[in-house]
């Protein structure tokens, strides 16, 4: 993945109110080792926004570097099939990191079934500042034994599966339990990343990143949760999920 783009120097109005840290150095080659090492493991069929949303926020964070790793080096397919990501390193090459972020999607099924990967997650977790998940990535944390007795969230469709690992499910978009942070379905990864940015830097910096990506949700519909969706919407998503399962 390319290094995070620099803030345009011509954007004087933004630059005047942005944090003084040099965002242009984030993830740039030839720089000193980043103070914050963020690792995102990818398996085939990962959910794109689970990854791209948090990446957009965290890679701009001053002093941060985001690394993508996988079971093997090479391209990893996304759940929709048109956004493959090249992974330059294997997860086994990572001995420690500051932040571990597990995305969801159908990739979570393969992660949960991979005993070596779960053992790696447990080892990495012992030295992280924060261990995080987006969507069904929380099932991976659960399978690794990291959520027993903790309140956690996940995609609404995986609530029962999350509870089977001893977690207490809540529909909240972002939940922090000590150094473990879980977020609900897909788009909530952006919320989680902004909250994480505030913890790792400060609230003003996190708000500056929010301004830069212009994250000011004003959706045309109010059906983004089970509590708000109508019966007709719930019926339609059931139909769509059935169609998607036949296309896999």
């Amino acid at each position: 993945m390319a290094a995070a783009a620099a803030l345009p120097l011509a954007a004087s109005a933004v630059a005047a109110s942005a944090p003084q840290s040099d965002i242009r150095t984030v993830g740039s080659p030839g720089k000193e080792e980043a103070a914050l090492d963020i690792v995102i493991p990818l398996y085939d069929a990962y959910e794109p926004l689970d990854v791209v949303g948090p990446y957009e926020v965290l890679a701009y964070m001053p002093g941060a570097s985001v690394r993508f790793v996988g079971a093997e080096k090479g391209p990893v397919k996304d759940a929709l099939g048109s956004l493959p990501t090249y992974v330059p390193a294997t997860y086994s090459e990572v001995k420690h990191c500051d932040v571990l972020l597990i995305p969801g999607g159908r990739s979570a099924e393969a992660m949960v079934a991979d005993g070596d990967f779960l053992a790696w997650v447990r080892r990495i977790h012992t030295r992280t500042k924060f261990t995080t998940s987006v969507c069904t990535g929380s099932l991976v944390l659960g399978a690794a034994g990291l959520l027993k007795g903790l309140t956690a969230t996940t995609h609404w469709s995986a609530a029962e599966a999350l509870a089977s690992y001893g977690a207490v499910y809540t529909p909240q978009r972002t939940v922090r339990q000590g150094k473990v942070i879980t977020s609900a379905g897909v788009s909530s990864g952006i919320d989680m990343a902004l909250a994480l940015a505030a913890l790792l830097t400060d609230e003003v910096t996190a708000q500056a990143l929010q301004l830069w990506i212009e994250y000011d949700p004003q959706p045309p519909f109010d059906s983004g949760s089970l509590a708000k969706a109508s019966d007709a919407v719930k019926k339609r998503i059931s139909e769509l999920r059935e169609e998607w399962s036949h296309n896999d």
Side-chain angles (χ1 to χ4, degrees):
M1 301 290 289
L7 285 172
L9 298 180
S12 57
V14 174
S17 61
Q20 294 303 306
S21 300
D22 185 2
I23 296 180
R24 289 171 295 173
T25 66
V26 174
S28 300
K31 300 293 182 180
E32 294 182 3
E33 185 176 350
L36 291 169
D37 182 24
I38 301 166
V39 171
I40 304 177
L42 298 181
Y43 273 45
D44 280 339
Y46 71 87
E47 191 67 36
L49 190 55
D50 285 14
V51 175
V52 176
Y55 172 67
E56 178 76 13
V57 174
L58 299 175
Y60 273 121
M61 196 167 54
S65 177
V66 179
R67 294 190 283 164
F68 293 95
V69 299
E72 299 178 351
K73 298 178 183 179
V76 180
K77 299 177 182 178
D78 71 292
L80 303 177
S82 300
L83 192 66
T85 299
Y86 181 81
V87 173
T90 63
Y91 69 78
S92 60
E93 296 176 50
V94 178
K95 305 307 179 184
H96 58 82
C97 63
D98 296 302
V99 176
L100 177 63
L101 190 156
I102 308 290
R106 295 195 308 279
S107 58
E109 298 174 9
M111 289 179 171
V112 166
D114 187 335
D116 290 340
F117 178 73
L118 294 180
W120 175 81
V121 169
R122 285 190 289 270
R123 286 196 303 272
I124 292 296
H125 173 68
T126 63
R127 297 180 62 182
T128 61
K129 292 181 178 178
F130 292 100
T131 299
T132 70
S133 66
V134 182
C135 196
T136 53
S138 60
L139 302 184
V140 180
L141 299 185
L146 304 184
L147 298 181
K148 291 180 180 178
L150 300 184
T151 299
T153 190
T154 189
H155 191 278
W156 55 264
S157 66
E160 290 187 8
L162 181 66
S164 72
Y165 292 113
V168 179
Y169 170 73
T170 175
Q172 290 176 229
R173 281 181 68 81
T174 301
V175 179
R176 179 187 177 192
Q177 296 274 271
K179 72 172 188 175
V180 176
I181 305 176
T182 55
S183 56
V186 194
S187 64
S188 64
I190 299 174
D191 299 47
M192 185 274 290
L194 287 169
L196 182 59
L199 290 168
L200 292 170
T201 59
D202 56 76
E203 289 193 1
V204 173
T205 299
Q207 289 179 51
L209 297 177
Q210 180 182 7
L211 174 60
W212 179 243
I213 67 172
E214 205 164 345
Y215 184 57
D216 185 25
Q218 299 174 36
F221 310 110
D222 192 22
S223 59
S225 71
L226 281 181
K228 297 177 179 179
S230 67
D231 290 341
V233 169
K234 294 174 183 177
K235 179 176 182 294
R236 182 57 178 145
I237 192 57
S238 293
E239 295 169 349
L240 289 172
R241 291 179 69 189
E242 181 67 20
E243 292 178 17
W244 297 335
S245 68
H246 292 317
N247 293 332
D248 291 343

